[in-house]
């Protein structure tokens, strides 16, 4: 779609996701933590839940390191049918249990409307980039009361992304968090091109919080820290970082995962960057 | 995904969609017509079924004009939840009835696995670009015995597209037709950039037939004829053309629809181009 | 630049390159051959002139095979300073001599305004994709009376491309031929993505002839024939095809070069496709 | 070009620009200021020099506000030949004079090798994005001893960009600073897509300093601050910011220019972000 530059037309298109006033900002509350309106949400965890022990141990480590929420994929959306597809229902159980014990709320990705009942103990439901325009899934999620993390499609522009949020909100669920995860360009050195201009752009267009996933965006663990700090400096409402106890042994996306120690250091730096910005703003 | 340039690795990835020998080509049979292995399939019809009269009248007109199959959307996958979403189940009924009376097999787009029973009288089920990586939908369709038309995603490369075909085929349904419909680039004068190199590329990589949709690709009715002829000249196994009795009155995508008369002329030219190529090849 | 959709604004921008009426079409005359307004120009030759014998022998072969003009690079614009940069002045001499003996007019690429005097016996001067917005070079060429072949930049949209033509024309030289050679996208299986929609688009916007280079666009010799035929079917005013006596021995871009025999076959097919289109149109 | 993932091949390609060891970093010295190896260079000024008074007044204001260097275009590289092309030689004189009086070194863009003598009093010569692969210009600049600021081409990947640096360095001039200024993607809400991953990527590949131009990249003044801070957080060696006394009156690119006051505030925030990073690193 072409972006409407006319304010009135824009208001018609983005009825619910669009800003009504420049200061409007939504805060999404998630079992003890919040995202948006000045609240920064730091999500960490493995690409995929691989075993009960893995996720349980990691959850404790991440909680100590400063994470606010635990991520872990159970239903994986993989390009190839021959790749590891996740542990499914069992993986969700391991994740929610690890979250319960560590005291961290949890987030996991959904791939089919029929899975919604399985997500009863999951705190935030993630819609992956490949399903950003799976409108039937969006409508089904719009009928739940769970916060939804909506990742940007690989080639979606800002207007289309907001329209997908609109699909969810229109069904009654306005708890939507947007997540920038890189777009597809001709540059192949990085997995995708992280588009941080999405932060000021979306903060201008919508009241919904916007977080950033530098792990999937860059595909390289050594790029995660600089891009995470950049996202924080550009006004992100949160970050989602892939962490694995032993990245080289990960069953998926190990090349982009941080070790728990590296995540711990990163969490400190992010807080420092955010503090200085708040001081300067104040 | 990065494309595997190594033959062995490629064979592992594209177990079912990949070519076993340079000459291997699949022919998909669809109630009296065929696609692939020298059989050219000319599909025509409106973007959306708008009424019983519209589709019934148009079907007869298109049959006379040389169409082999009738298209018509009932479950529309629209960027905005506020756009016309199609007539749904009723639309499918009008379409299949129009197909039955005109003698044309029919094709329509599916957007949710639960809709499969409604497609019992539809001859080919279409997966739209936005659902190319809706893997749950692909797996469900792989369990049917219907031919599937798989459109290329807006930013999908050849490898990913074939992987999505692989998802369908792996479940048992090997009747897959690929459809190039333009990719997203920086050029905004056209709706998308039609990538006709996909024809020689896929004919090198896969035995599945590949057709082209110049209507969605260009978004401009005056570009449909030259790009349709180009596709035929580049070896397409078929074409899907949007036709509307009165394009300016269409409820969706009127700007890219041909009139029945323009389609009739185009059908003649396509046959001529194909004939000359066959003669030269022969 | 954003494309002006308003006719009046468009006329202001494209003062000289823009169409004044739907039927306006320019014909560029080049020592006995023509391009545009129904005249099709078939250019063939090696990526680079490699020796006097090579280009002399090839010229005769190409003339017999149906080429209208001989191409051959002498000043090569290579990504790396360590790649073969062409034979320079000497290469131009070999090319013009081969053209003279075979009776074919010649075309070669220029990379610096100071080289203009060396092109005295070259019939058409080519501006490469990387120099499409080298405005100083364009202005200098606008002061000559040579036909200029202006290749599209790797990421140039139609408006910018026409603006570069405007830079040449404004200085007095209106003999400009546009050449589509593929744009840069996320698809990496082909070298570039050949954008054949540029043909109907530019034929709508400008009176200048538009030709296509399928060799550089695809980067694969086996894709050259289908894309060349597609270009002819879509209304191209000509084609530029890379041909090398022994592609595997070429000092640059051998992977995309045809053998003289393959070119000969292609030339026949192109004529056939063009004939059928003319008959149908007539 | 495809990026060489093999270390040895990479060393062969990037003989001079490539890193010899992980810690290697170049510092470019420019009349009292430096860029690289921990030295941050803050460049500010108008898109184009418009008058003697404008640039003289602005220079003093920018010096006070914390700028390290003054920018101002005299030879503008504009898409349309009918747009303001800069004041040329006269503009350069106004710029160097303003630099001399304010005590700021100056930078301006070159568009033709013949202009080199005119840049005698300019401290850094800029090569614009459109000329990144104007190899003749690069070679001529490689024979000077001036620091060169090499902007990334609109669709250049990291490898090609470094190769252009290599063209300059190979002629003897190793004082090259790279400048990321956004790449072309399908997202049209911003002028370009600022690719900040270029910072960790290039810091891994090359010892040359890398700065960022958030003004041209985003094309929107309200996005300049967040993206400038993001660049600083991601490890940029400097920034180039467009500033105009009255942005709405600017003869070019006013929409992306900051006022001097906004720049002053930004300069403070950048220093704060850099200080916290250095503290954390230390």
């Amino acid at each position: 779609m072409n972006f409407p530059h006319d304010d009135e037309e824009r208001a018609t298109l983005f009825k619910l996701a669009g800003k009504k006033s420049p200061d409007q900002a939504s805060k999404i509350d998630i079992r003890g933590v919040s995202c948006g309106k000045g609240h920064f949400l730091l999500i960490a965890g493995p690409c995929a839940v691989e075993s009960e022990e893995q996720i349980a141990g990691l959850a404790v480590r991440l909680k100590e390191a400063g994470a606010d929420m635990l991520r872990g994929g159970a239903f994986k959306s993989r390009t190839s049918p021959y790749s590891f597809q996740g542990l499914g229902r069992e993986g969700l159980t391991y994740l929610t249990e690890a979250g319960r014990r560590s005291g961290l709320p949890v987030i996991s990705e959904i791939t089919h409307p029929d899975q919604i009942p399985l997500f009863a103990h999951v705190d935030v439901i993630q819609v992956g980039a490949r399903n950003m325009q799976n409108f039937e899934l969006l409508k089904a999620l719009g009928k739940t009361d769970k916060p939804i993390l909506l990742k940007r499609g690989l080639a979606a522009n800002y207007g289309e992304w907001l329209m997908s949020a609109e699909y969810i909100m229109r069904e009654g669920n306005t708890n939507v968090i947007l997540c920038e995860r890189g777009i597809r360009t001709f540059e192949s050195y990085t997995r995708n091109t992280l588009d941080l201009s999405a932060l000021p752009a979306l903060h201008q267009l919508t009241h919904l919080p916007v977080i950033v996933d530098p792990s999937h965006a860059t595909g390289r663990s050594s790029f995660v820290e600089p891009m995470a700090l950049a996202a924080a400096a550009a006004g992100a409402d949160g970050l989602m970082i892939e962490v694995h106890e032993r990245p080289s042994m990960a069953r998926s996306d190990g090349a982009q995962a941080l070790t728990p120690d590296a995540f711990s250091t990163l969490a400190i730096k992010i807080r420092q960057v955010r503090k200085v910005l708040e001081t300067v703003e104040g």
Side-chain angles (χ1 to χ4, degrees), chain A:
Chain A
M1 60 173 284
N2 288 318
F3 205 87
H5 288 284
D6 176 70
D7 281 352
E8 206 171 316
E9 194 189 341
R10 204 180 280 179
T12 315
L13 277 174
F14 309 127
K15 280 190 182 44
L16 302 165
K19 266 193 171 177
K20 305 291 172 291
S21 69
D23 289 342
Q24 192 189 359
S26 288
K27 177 164 72 79
I28 312 292
D29 295 314
I30 309 152
R31 201 153 58 88
V33 297
S34 297
C35 183
K37 215 173 181 170
H39 296 262
F40 192 86
L41 185 69
L42 186 55
I43 310 172
C47 179
V49 175
E50 297 174 8
S51 73
E52 191 170 3
E53 297 68 37
Q54 173 227 25
I55 193 72
L58 200 50
V60 176
R61 261 317 256 113
L62 293 172
K63 170 81 174 174
E64 288 166 4
D68 301 310
M69 192 180 317
L70 179 67
R71 64 155 286 163
F75 297 99
K76 301 299 299 172
S77 199
R78 304 300 298 278
T79 302
S80 164
Y82 308 114
S83 300
F84 172 53
Q85 306 274 317
L87 299 182
R89 180 192 292 250
E90 203 179 15
L92 274 194
T93 308
Y94 298 157
L95 176 72
T96 51
E97 184 58 18
R100 201 186 55 75
R101 290 199 187 172
S102 63
L104 290 174
V106 299
I107 175 171
S108 199
E109 183 175 347
I110 197 167
T111 60
H112 191 298
D114 291 355
Q115 295 160 354
I116 290 177
L118 304 177
F119 280 71
H121 300 293
V122 173
D123 300 283
V124 178
I125 304 180
Q126 176 180 324
V127 176
R130 287 166 186 74
N131 280 314
M132 192 203 83
Q133 292 192 314
N134 179 345
F135 300 120
E136 299 296 337
L137 179 60
L138 300 181
K139 285 189 275 184
L141 292 170
K143 296 193 177 89
T144 72
D145 58 358
K146 295 272 182 196
I148 308 298
L149 184 89
L150 180 65
K151 286 204 153 186
R152 181 182 188 178
L154 285 78
N157 60 33
Y158 304 149
E160 291 162 341
W161 192 6
L162 285 181
M163 272 302 175
S164 286
E166 199 81 21
Y167 261 100
I168 298 168
M169 298 171 85
R170 194 188 178 218
E171 302 293 330
N173 183 355
T174 57
N175 295 310
V176 178
I177 301 170
L178 302 168
C179 180
E180 160 66 25
R181 45 78 71 206
I183 57 172
R184 193 156 273 190
T185 71
F186 60 84
E187 179 59 70
S188 59
Y189 191 72
T190 44
R191 185 170 176 174
N192 295 285
T193 296
L194 184 63
D195 175 18
L196 289 180
S197 304
L199 292 166
L202 288 167
H203 283 147
Q204 186 177 83
L205 295 168
T206 181
H207 54 87
L208 298 173
V210 191
I211 75 166
V212 171
D213 175 348
S215 308
H216 274 88
T218 64
R220 290 172 176 257
S221 59
S222 63
F223 293 10
V224 170
E225 180 178 303
M227 300 318 286
L229 296 177
D237 297 301
L239 282 162
M240 181 146 75
I241 309 284
E242 282 195 25
V243 184
H244 195 278
E245 281 286 355
R246 295 163 71 190
S248 63
M249 307 287 283
R251 295 190 66 180
S252 57
D253 288 346
Q256 69 203 28
L258 297 188
T259 61
D261 282 352
F263 172 72
S264 182
T265 307
L266 174 59
I268 293 166
K269 293 188 185 180
I270 291 168
R271 273 195 295 275
Q272 294 289 99
V273 166
R274 284 189 40 78
K275 193 184 291 175
V276 79
L277 288 178
E278 280 159 15
T279 315
V280 183
E281 300 290 345

